[in-house]
Amino acid sequence: MITTYNSFAKLNLNLHVYPIDPNNLHPISSIFQEITLYDEFKIITQKNDLPQLTLSCEGFQMPLNSSNILHKIFTKLNSYLSHDYNIHINKRIPLGSGMGGSSSNAATFLKAINTIENLNWSTNKLIDLSQEFGSDIGFFIVGKTQHVSGFGNIIKPIASPIKDTHYTIIYPNIHCSTKDIYAHFDKMLEQKNRSNKISEFEKNYLYEVVLDLYPQMKDFYIQLTNLCNHTIYLTGSGSTFFTTHNTYEEAENLSNKIKNKFSNFYVKSVSNV
């Protein structure tokens, strides 16, 4: 059997990060928005009493060995499986971009297993299960626009869904380490002696942290600000910047302008899902 899925990316329209708790975790509060950038999944399954997983990809590269989150899910859920899974991904979401590519892939795989194996797990069951593999995966189980808080485990639709918003996304081919950024956040928070907000970039508490930790990100931010007559936002812990627009045409015009200046960067116009 062959099944296909779209594994969507996300933007953090805001991100509030709070001081580390006794379990060495940072509570957050954020509006997550799915966007029309996605990885294409093709899953070929065949009945087998000893299921095997095979991964392949094109586009942006990703690890295909046991370090890939799909392998971890497959191993954890092996006792529920009765098929071989041959998965090919057309990878359009860059790794380390802050757009949730790996988490989205994980959610897509969990939902696919639920359907293919006729497990009939509820959405809440899938969200709870997803927390074993990563904090952002639960969002992608439901998608669209959600207020995500706690440690990614509290997911609620926002009161007034965001409609007809378009974005220019700019990925400068810089991989930002989430682990290093949160460690630097703790360091800056201690230096500034604040309990939450640490900069004028109040839409994203990690914005200033990323620019401070990665000088090349700060240099690019300055160049981008000088080029664009728009507010420049950062999604998650980076490294994708984005702007918001009322029409897709506006987003596309800015995308073309940025591409002309930064031809080596990944620049794309997208919309809300």
Side-chain angles (χ1 to χ4, degrees), residues 10 12-21 24-32 135-136 147-152 177-190 192-199 201-210 234-238:
K10 60 86 175 166
N12 294 89
L13 302 186
N14 62 15
L15 176 60
H16 296 178
V17 180
Y18 300 98
I20 197 165
D21 78 347
N24 291 320
L25 297 172
H26 292 85
I28 67 160
S29 175
S30 179
I31 301 298
F32 281 46
S135 59
D136 288 350
H147 177 243
V148 180
S149 59
F151 305 105
S177 165
T178 301
K179 180 179 178 181
D180 292 347
I181 288 164
Y182 273 92
H184 200 60
F185 169 84
D186 293 334
K187 179 181 175 182
M188 292 180 69
L189 196 66
E190 183 178 348
K192 298 199 175 192
N193 193 28
R194 298 190 184 184
S195 60
N196 44 42
K197 184 171 65 178
I198 64 171
S199 77
F201 296 110
E202 61 181 52
K203 279 276 190 180
N204 183 340
Y205 288 9
L206 297 180
Y207 208 150
E208 185 183 17
V209 179
V210 171
L234 181 77
T235 183
S237 56

Side-chain angles (χ1 to χ4, degrees), residues 222-237:
I222 292 169
Q223 294 181 65
L224 200 55
T225 301
N226 291 336
L227 179 68
C228 306
N229 187 27
H230 294 273
T231 301
I232 310 297
Y233 300 105
L234 181 77
T235 183
S237 56

Side-chain angles (χ1 to χ4, degrees), residues 123-165:
T123 297
N124 286 338
K125 165 75 172 177
L126 288 170
I127 291 172
D128 289 343
L129 180 61
S130 75
Q131 295 299 303
E132 297 185 38
F133 305 103
S135 59
D136 288 350
I137 301 171
F139 160 73
F140 289 104
I141 297 294
V142 289
K144 303 296 185 183
T145 311
Q146 306 287 335
H147 177 243
V148 180
S149 59
F151 305 105
N153 58 319
I154 304 172
I155 304 165
K156 297 180 179 179
I158 63 172
S160 301
I162 300 165
K163 297 180 180 179
D164 301 325
T165 302

